[in-house]
Amino acid sequence: MKELTKAEEQIMQVLWKLEKAFVRDIMKRLPNPVPAYNTVSTIVRILEKKGFVSHEAFGKSHRYYPLVSKEEYTRATVKSFVHNYFSNSFGNMVSFFARERSLSLKEMEEIMQIMQEEIEKQKK
């Protein structure tokens, strides 16, 4: 899956929330300073070329909607992140965050609980 630029990802975040939107609807949800209409429109068309969104035509207007779900994109992005920075090892990633003290004790306990539950599911 292709990676998104920050601007493209920002627009996708809005489309994932709204599910369907015209450019003006997207602009209303963007943080300040809001880019010009033509800029947002261009980015949406780039997203369409990349296969992330499609549109429905209403005369000269287009209502855009995501073709890639937020979950699909998140999964692909995390996989790529782990591959590129942690030798394709989720264990290395968790160890890194634990060592860097980026995870609190509570967060580490929650991760351990989630992992224990997953281990039990896979044993069955």
Short mmCIF file of all heavy atoms in Angstrom, two decimals, residues 16-57:
data_model
loop_
_atom_site.label_atom_id
_atom_site.label_comp_id
_atom_site.label_asym_id
_atom_site.label_seq_id
_atom_site.Cartn_x
_atom_site.Cartn_y
_atom_site.Cartn_z
N TRP A 16 -12.53 9.48 6.66
CA TRP A 16 -12.88 8.30 7.46
C TRP A 16 -13.96 8.65 8.48
O TRP A 16 -14.85 7.85 8.74
CB TRP A 16 -11.65 7.73 8.16
CG TRP A 16 -10.74 6.96 7.23
CD1 TRP A 16 -11.12 6.14 6.19
CD2 TRP A 16 -9.32 6.95 7.24
NE1 TRP A 16 -10.01 5.62 5.57
CE2 TRP A 16 -8.89 6.09 6.19
CE3 TRP A 16 -8.36 7.56 8.03
CZ2 TRP A 16 -7.55 5.84 5.92
CZ3 TRP A 16 -7.02 7.31 7.77
CH2 TRP A 16 -6.62 6.46 6.72
N LYS A 17 -13.90 9.84 9.04
CA LYS A 17 -14.91 10.26 10.02
C LYS A 17 -16.25 10.55 9.34
O LYS A 17 -17.30 10.14 9.83
CB LYS A 17 -14.45 11.50 10.78
CG LYS A 17 -13.44 11.21 11.84
CD LYS A 17 -13.04 12.47 12.57
CE LYS A 17 -11.92 12.16 13.54
NZ LYS A 17 -11.23 13.35 14.01
N LEU A 18 -16.20 11.28 8.23
CA LEU A 18 -17.44 11.69 7.57
C LEU A 18 -18.05 10.61 6.68
O LEU A 18 -19.23 10.64 6.38
CB LEU A 18 -17.19 12.96 6.74
CG LEU A 18 -16.77 14.21 7.51
CD1 LEU A 18 -16.51 15.36 6.54
CD2 LEU A 18 -17.83 14.60 8.53
N GLU A 19 -17.22 9.69 6.21
CA GLU A 19 -17.59 8.61 5.29
C GLU A 19 -17.83 9.08 3.87
O GLU A 19 -17.42 8.42 2.93
CB GLU A 19 -18.77 7.80 5.83
CG GLU A 19 -18.44 7.09 7.13
CD GLU A 19 -19.58 6.30 7.68
OE1 GLU A 19 -20.66 6.22 7.03
OE2 GLU A 19 -19.42 5.75 8.79
N LYS A 20 -18.53 10.17 3.68
CA LYS A 20 -18.73 10.78 2.36
C LYS A 20 -18.70 12.29 2.54
O LYS A 20 -19.28 12.79 3.50
CB LYS A 20 -20.07 10.37 1.74
CG LYS A 20 -20.16 8.93 1.36
CD LYS A 20 -21.49 8.62 0.69
CE LYS A 20 -21.54 7.17 0.27
NZ LYS A 20 -22.74 6.87 -0.50
N ALA A 21 -18.02 12.99 1.61
CA ALA A 21 -17.93 14.44 1.80
C ALA A 21 -17.56 15.15 0.51
O ALA A 21 -16.82 14.61 -0.32
CB ALA A 21 -16.89 14.76 2.86
N PHE A 22 -18.07 16.35 0.37
CA PHE A 22 -17.64 17.27 -0.68
C PHE A 22 -16.39 17.99 -0.16
O PHE A 22 -16.12 18.00 1.05
CB PHE A 22 -18.75 18.28 -0.99
CG PHE A 22 -19.98 17.66 -1.59
CD1 PHE A 22 -21.06 17.31 -0.78
CD2 PHE A 22 -20.05 17.42 -2.96
CE1 PHE A 22 -22.20 16.74 -1.33
CE2 PHE A 22 -21.19 16.85 -3.51
CZ PHE A 22 -22.26 16.50 -2.71
N VAL A 23 -15.64 18.61 -1.06
CA VAL A 23 -14.41 19.31 -0.67
C VAL A 23 -14.71 20.33 0.42
O VAL A 23 -13.96 20.44 1.40
CB VAL A 23 -13.72 19.96 -1.90
CG1 VAL A 23 -12.58 20.86 -1.47
CG2 VAL A 23 -13.22 18.88 -2.86
N ARG A 24 -15.80 21.07 0.30
CA ARG A 24 -16.13 22.08 1.31
C ARG A 24 -16.38 21.44 2.69
O ARG A 24 -16.03 22.02 3.72
CB ARG A 24 -17.34 22.89 0.89
CG ARG A 24 -17.06 23.76 -0.32
CD ARG A 24 -17.79 25.10 -0.26
NE ARG A 24 -17.60 25.86 -1.48
CZ ARG A 24 -16.54 26.63 -1.72
NH1 ARG A 24 -15.58 26.70 -0.85
NH2 ARG A 24 -16.44 27.30 -2.85
N ASP A 25 -16.98 20.25 2.70
CA ASP A 25 -17.20 19.54 3.97
C ASP A 25 -15.86 19.17 4.60
O ASP A 25 -15.69 19.26 5.82
CB ASP A 25 -18.01 18.26 3.75
CG ASP A 25 -19.39 18.52 3.17
OD1 ASP A 25 -19.97 19.57 3.49
OD2 ASP A 25 -19.87 17.66 2.40
N ILE A 26 -14.94 18.73 3.78
CA ILE A 26 -13.60 18.37 4.27
C ILE A 26 -12.92 19.60 4.85
O ILE A 26 -12.35 19.55 5.95
CB ILE A 26 -12.75 17.76 3.13
CG1 ILE A 26 -13.36 16.43 2.66
CG2 ILE A 26 -11.30 17.57 3.57
CD1 ILE A 26 -12.78 15.88 1.37
N MET A 27 -13.01 20.71 4.14
CA MET A 27 -12.36 21.94 4.58
C MET A 27 -12.87 22.39 5.95
O MET A 27 -12.09 22.88 6.77
CB MET A 27 -12.57 23.05 3.55
CG MET A 27 -11.82 22.80 2.26
SD MET A 27 -12.13 24.06 1.01
CE MET A 27 -11.34 25.49 1.78
N LYS A 28 -14.15 22.18 6.22
CA LYS A 28 -14.73 22.59 7.50
C LYS A 28 -14.13 21.81 8.68
O LYS A 28 -14.15 22.29 9.81
CB LYS A 28 -16.25 22.38 7.50
CG LYS A 28 -16.99 23.34 6.62
CD LYS A 28 -18.47 23.01 6.61
CE LYS A 28 -19.21 23.85 5.58
NZ LYS A 28 -20.61 23.44 5.42
N ARG A 29 -13.61 20.64 8.41
CA ARG A 29 -13.06 19.78 9.47
C ARG A 29 -11.54 19.87 9.61
O ARG A 29 -10.97 19.24 10.49
CB ARG A 29 -13.43 18.32 9.19
CG ARG A 29 -14.91 18.03 9.24
CD ARG A 29 -15.40 18.04 10.69
NE ARG A 29 -16.78 17.68 10.79
CZ ARG A 29 -17.22 16.53 11.27
NH1 ARG A 29 -16.37 15.63 11.69
NH2 ARG A 29 -18.50 16.28 11.34
N LEU A 30 -10.89 20.61 8.73
CA LEU A 30 -9.43 20.73 8.79
C LEU A 30 -9.04 21.80 9.80
O LEU A 30 -9.73 22.81 9.95
CB LEU A 30 -8.86 21.08 7.41
CG LEU A 30 -9.00 20.00 6.34
CD1 LEU A 30 -8.53 20.53 4.99
CD2 LEU A 30 -8.23 18.75 6.73
N PRO A 31 -7.90 21.59 10.48
CA PRO A 31 -7.45 22.61 11.45
C PRO A 31 -6.92 23.85 10.74
O PRO A 31 -6.54 23.79 9.57
CB PRO A 31 -6.33 21.89 12.20
CG PRO A 31 -5.84 20.84 11.26
CD PRO A 31 -7.02 20.44 10.43
N ASN A 32 -6.91 24.93 11.46
CA ASN A 32 -6.37 26.19 10.92
C ASN A 32 -4.84 26.11 10.85
O ASN A 32 -4.24 25.47 11.69
CB ASN A 32 -6.80 27.37 11.79
CG ASN A 32 -8.27 27.67 11.61
OD1 ASN A 32 -8.81 27.56 10.52
ND2 ASN A 32 -8.93 28.04 12.70
N PRO A 33 -4.24 26.74 9.90
CA PRO A 33 -4.84 27.45 8.78
C PRO A 33 -5.35 26.46 7.72
O PRO A 33 -4.63 25.56 7.30
CB PRO A 33 -3.70 28.29 8.23
CG PRO A 33 -2.46 27.53 8.58
CD PRO A 33 -2.77 26.80 9.87
N VAL A 34 -6.59 26.64 7.33
CA VAL A 34 -7.20 25.75 6.34
C VAL A 34 -6.63 26.08 4.96
O VAL A 34 -6.59 27.24 4.56
CB VAL A 34 -8.74 25.92 6.34
CG1 VAL A 34 -9.38 25.06 5.26
CG2 VAL A 34 -9.30 25.57 7.71
N PRO A 35 -6.17 25.05 4.24
CA PRO A 35 -5.65 25.30 2.89
C PRO A 35 -6.75 25.82 1.96
O PRO A 35 -7.94 25.67 2.23
CB PRO A 35 -5.16 23.93 2.42
CG PRO A 35 -5.24 23.03 3.58
CD PRO A 35 -6.12 23.66 4.61
N ALA A 36 -6.34 26.40 0.85
CA ALA A 36 -7.28 26.90 -0.15
C ALA A 36 -8.10 25.75 -0.73
O ALA A 36 -7.66 24.60 -0.76
CB ALA A 36 -6.52 27.62 -1.26
N TYR A 37 -9.28 26.09 -1.21
CA TYR A 37 -10.18 25.10 -1.83
C TYR A 37 -9.44 24.29 -2.91
O TYR A 37 -9.53 23.07 -2.94
CB TYR A 37 -11.40 25.80 -2.43
CG TYR A 37 -12.38 24.85 -3.08
CD1 TYR A 37 -13.45 24.35 -2.36
CD2 TYR A 37 -12.23 24.44 -4.41
CE1 TYR A 37 -14.35 23.46 -2.93
CE2 TYR A 37 -13.11 23.56 -4.99
CZ TYR A 37 -14.18 23.07 -4.25
OH TYR A 37 -15.06 22.18 -4.82
N ASN A 38 -8.73 24.99 -3.80
CA ASN A 38 -8.04 24.31 -4.89
C ASN A 38 -6.98 23.34 -4.38
O ASN A 38 -6.76 22.28 -4.96
CB ASN A 38 -7.40 25.31 -5.86
CG ASN A 38 -8.44 26.01 -6.71
OD1 ASN A 38 -9.58 25.56 -6.82
ND2 ASN A 38 -8.04 27.13 -7.30
N THR A 39 -6.32 23.68 -3.28
CA THR A 39 -5.31 22.80 -2.69
C THR A 39 -5.96 21.52 -2.18
O THR A 39 -5.49 20.42 -2.46
CB THR A 39 -4.58 23.53 -1.55
OG1 THR A 39 -3.98 24.72 -2.06
CG2 THR A 39 -3.51 22.65 -0.92
N VAL A 40 -7.04 21.67 -1.43
CA VAL A 40 -7.74 20.49 -0.90
C VAL A 40 -8.28 19.64 -2.04
O VAL A 40 -8.14 18.41 -2.04
CB VAL A 40 -8.86 20.91 0.08
CG1 VAL A 40 -9.66 19.69 0.54
CG2 VAL A 40 -8.29 21.66 1.27
N SER A 41 -8.85 20.29 -3.03
CA SER A 41 -9.39 19.57 -4.19
C SER A 41 -8.29 18.79 -4.91
O SER A 41 -8.48 17.63 -5.30
CB SER A 41 -10.04 20.57 -5.14
OG SER A 41 -10.56 19.91 -6.27
N THR A 42 -7.13 19.39 -5.06
CA THR A 42 -6.00 18.72 -5.71
C THR A 42 -5.54 17.51 -4.90
O THR A 42 -5.29 16.43 -5.46
CB THR A 42 -4.82 19.71 -5.90
OG1 THR A 42 -5.26 20.77 -6.76
CG2 THR A 42 -3.61 19.02 -6.51
N ILE A 43 -5.45 17.67 -3.60
CA ILE A 43 -5.02 16.56 -2.75
C ILE A 43 -6.02 15.41 -2.82
O ILE A 43 -5.65 14.24 -2.90
CB ILE A 43 -4.81 17.03 -1.29
CG1 ILE A 43 -3.62 17.99 -1.23
CG2 ILE A 43 -4.58 15.84 -0.36
CD1 ILE A 43 -3.47 18.72 0.10
N VAL A 44 -7.30 15.73 -2.84
CA VAL A 44 -8.33 14.68 -2.93
C VAL A 44 -8.21 13.94 -4.26
O VAL A 44 -8.32 12.70 -4.31
CB VAL A 44 -9.74 15.27 -2.73
CG1 VAL A 44 -10.81 14.23 -3.03
CG2 VAL A 44 -9.91 15.81 -1.32
N ARG A 45 -7.94 14.67 -5.34
CA ARG A 45 -7.77 14.01 -6.64
C ARG A 45 -6.51 13.14 -6.66
O ARG A 45 -6.50 12.07 -7.27
CB ARG A 45 -7.75 15.05 -7.77
CG ARG A 45 -9.14 15.62 -8.05
CD ARG A 45 -9.22 16.39 -9.37
NE ARG A 45 -8.18 17.38 -9.56
CZ ARG A 45 -8.21 18.63 -9.08
NH1 ARG A 45 -9.25 19.03 -8.36
NH2 ARG A 45 -7.23 19.48 -9.33
N ILE A 46 -5.47 13.56 -5.96
CA ILE A 46 -4.26 12.73 -5.84
C ILE A 46 -4.60 11.45 -5.08
O ILE A 46 -4.17 10.35 -5.46
CB ILE A 46 -3.12 13.51 -5.13
CG1 ILE A 46 -2.60 14.62 -6.05
CG2 ILE A 46 -1.99 12.57 -4.71
CD1 ILE A 46 -1.68 15.63 -5.37
N LEU A 47 -5.38 11.58 -4.01
CA LEU A 47 -5.81 10.41 -3.25
C LEU A 47 -6.63 9.46 -4.11
O LEU A 47 -6.53 8.24 -3.99
CB LEU A 47 -6.63 10.84 -2.02
CG LEU A 47 -5.83 11.46 -0.87
CD1 LEU A 47 -6.76 12.13 0.12
CD2 LEU A 47 -4.99 10.39 -0.19
N GLU A 48 -7.40 10.04 -5.01
CA GLU A 48 -8.20 9.22 -5.93
C GLU A 48 -7.27 8.46 -6.89
O GLU A 48 -7.45 7.27 -7.12
CB GLU A 48 -9.18 10.10 -6.70
CG GLU A 48 -10.26 9.33 -7.40
CD GLU A 48 -11.39 10.21 -7.88
OE1 GLU A 48 -11.21 11.43 -8.04
OE2 GLU A 48 -12.48 9.65 -8.11
N LYS A 49 -6.25 9.14 -7.42
CA LYS A 49 -5.29 8.47 -8.31
C LYS A 49 -4.52 7.38 -7.60
O LYS A 49 -4.18 6.36 -8.19
CB LYS A 49 -4.31 9.49 -8.89
CG LYS A 49 -4.90 10.38 -9.95
CD LYS A 49 -3.90 11.38 -10.47
CE LYS A 49 -4.56 12.35 -11.43
NZ LYS A 49 -3.69 13.48 -11.79
N LYS A 50 -4.25 7.57 -6.32
CA LYS A 50 -3.52 6.57 -5.52
C LYS A 50 -4.43 5.40 -5.13
O LYS A 50 -3.95 4.41 -4.57
CB LYS A 50 -2.94 7.21 -4.25
CG LYS A 50 -1.74 8.08 -4.50
CD LYS A 50 -1.17 8.58 -3.15
CE LYS A 50 0.15 9.28 -3.32
NZ LYS A 50 0.71 9.67 -2.00
N GLY A 51 -5.73 5.53 -5.37
CA GLY A 51 -6.66 4.44 -5.05
C GLY A 51 -7.21 4.47 -3.64
O GLY A 51 -7.78 3.49 -3.18
N PHE A 52 -7.06 5.59 -2.94
CA PHE A 52 -7.56 5.69 -1.57
C PHE A 52 -9.00 6.17 -1.51
O PHE A 52 -9.70 5.88 -0.54
CB PHE A 52 -6.68 6.64 -0.74
CG PHE A 52 -5.41 6.00 -0.26
CD1 PHE A 52 -4.28 6.00 -1.07
CD2 PHE A 52 -5.34 5.39 0.97
CE1 PHE A 52 -3.11 5.40 -0.63
CE2 PHE A 52 -4.18 4.79 1.41
CZ PHE A 52 -3.06 4.80 0.60
N VAL A 53 -9.42 6.95 -2.49
CA VAL A 53 -10.79 7.46 -2.50
C VAL A 53 -11.39 7.34 -3.90
O VAL A 53 -10.68 7.16 -4.89
CB VAL A 53 -10.90 8.94 -2.03
CG1 VAL A 53 -10.34 9.12 -0.65
CG2 VAL A 53 -10.23 9.87 -3.00
N SER A 54 -12.71 7.43 -3.94
CA SER A 54 -13.43 7.51 -5.20
C SER A 54 -14.48 8.60 -5.02
O SER A 54 -14.54 9.24 -3.97
CB SER A 54 -14.08 6.18 -5.56
OG SER A 54 -14.59 6.23 -6.87
N HIS A 55 -15.29 8.79 -6.04
CA HIS A 55 -16.30 9.86 -5.93
C HIS A 55 -17.59 9.48 -6.63
O HIS A 55 -17.62 8.60 -7.48
CB HIS A 55 -15.76 11.17 -6.51
CG HIS A 55 -15.68 11.16 -8.00
ND1 HIS A 55 -14.57 10.72 -8.68
CD2 HIS A 55 -16.56 11.54 -8.96
CE1 HIS A 55 -14.78 10.82 -9.99
NE2 HIS A 55 -15.99 11.32 -10.18
N GLU A 56 -18.63 10.21 -6.24
CA GLU A 56 -19.92 10.18 -6.91
C GLU A 56 -20.10 11.57 -7.51
O GLU A 56 -19.83 12.57 -6.84
CB GLU A 56 -21.05 9.94 -5.92
CG GLU A 56 -20.92 8.67 -5.11
CD GLU A 56 -21.89 8.64 -3.94
OE1 GLU A 56 -21.88 9.59 -3.13
OE2 GLU A 56 -22.65 7.66 -3.85
N ALA A 57 -20.52 11.62 -8.76
CA ALA A 57 -20.71 12.92 -9.42
C ALA A 57 -22.13 13.43 -9.18
O ALA A 57 -23.11 12.68 -9.28
CB ALA A 57 -20.44 12.80 -10.91
#
